[in-house]
Amino acid sequence: MPVPLAPYPTPPTTPYTPPPVNGTQSQLVCSGCRNLLLYPAGATSVCCAVCNAVTAVPPPGTEMAQLVCGGCHTLLMYIRGATSVQCSCCHTVNLALEANQVAHVNCGNCRMLLMYQYGARSVKCAVCNFVTSVGASSSTLEQKFTS
């Protein structure tokens, strides 16, 4: 005959505590290992539990931007308005351009869409290394390859 088992004792009920609201905790990318770090409001720096790197917290109200490193394709975060950003992984210095400072043109050889700093006279394609002139001369170059 089976013996009835007593039910497990129920732990005392504790109220559910929701995760902190965005105003009390923020996040940033570790300057050493690129992991996402959470930190409380008011902190001036954060020590990573994985690599022990200390990352400075930007001042409150600082607007952040992102770009992809041209050397290793790592997503980088930086303070909006910076002119260049050095990658902590491969040490490539990347130009940080605002949306109104860049222009686009198709490569004159392989037709890849290229992005370049507004005002530049030419842009070199990273795929085929062809140098495409931009500005007034780009329209004649476009006509040459489309006809």
Side-chain angles (χ1 to χ4, degrees):
M1 175 157 200
V3 177
L5 297 175
Y8 288 109
T10 56
T13 56
T14 54
Y16 171 72
T17 308
V21 183
N22 287 345
T24 58
Q25 246 189 2
S26 296
Q27 58 189 15
L28 59 81
V29 176
C30 173
S31 60
C33 65
R34 313 302 299 163
N35 277 322
L36 190 63
L37 304 175
L38 295 174
Y39 63 93
T44 57
S45 61
V46 183
C47 182
C48 178
V50 175
C51 71
N52 291 323
V54 176
T55 304
V57 174
T62 303
E63 198 173 335
M64 300 298 287
Q66 298 177 341
L67 64 81
V68 175
C69 175
C72 66
H73 305 290
T74 300
L75 182 64
L76 305 175
M77 289 180 65
Y78 64 96
I79 296 173
R80 188 174 298 282
T83 56
S84 61
V85 181
Q86 184 173 14
C87 178
S88 62
C89 297
C90 69
H91 305 291
T92 299
V93 176
N94 298 274
L95 288 178
L97 302 174
E98 294 295 325
N100 61 355
Q101 295 176 310
V102 296
H104 298 88
V105 67
N106 287 327
C107 173
N109 184 43
C110 69
R111 312 302 293 162
M112 174 69 71
L113 183 63
L114 306 174
M115 183 173 69
Y116 64 95
Q117 186 170 4
Y118 185 77
R121 296 182 197 183
S122 61
V123 59
K124 183 177 180 179
C125 179
V127 174
C128 70
N129 293 322
F130 185 83
V131 176
T132 303
S133 297
V134 295
S137 61
S138 69
S139 60
T140 55
L141 187 61
E142 291 284 336
Q143 291 172 356
K144 180 179 172 183
F145 281 94
T146 55
S147 32

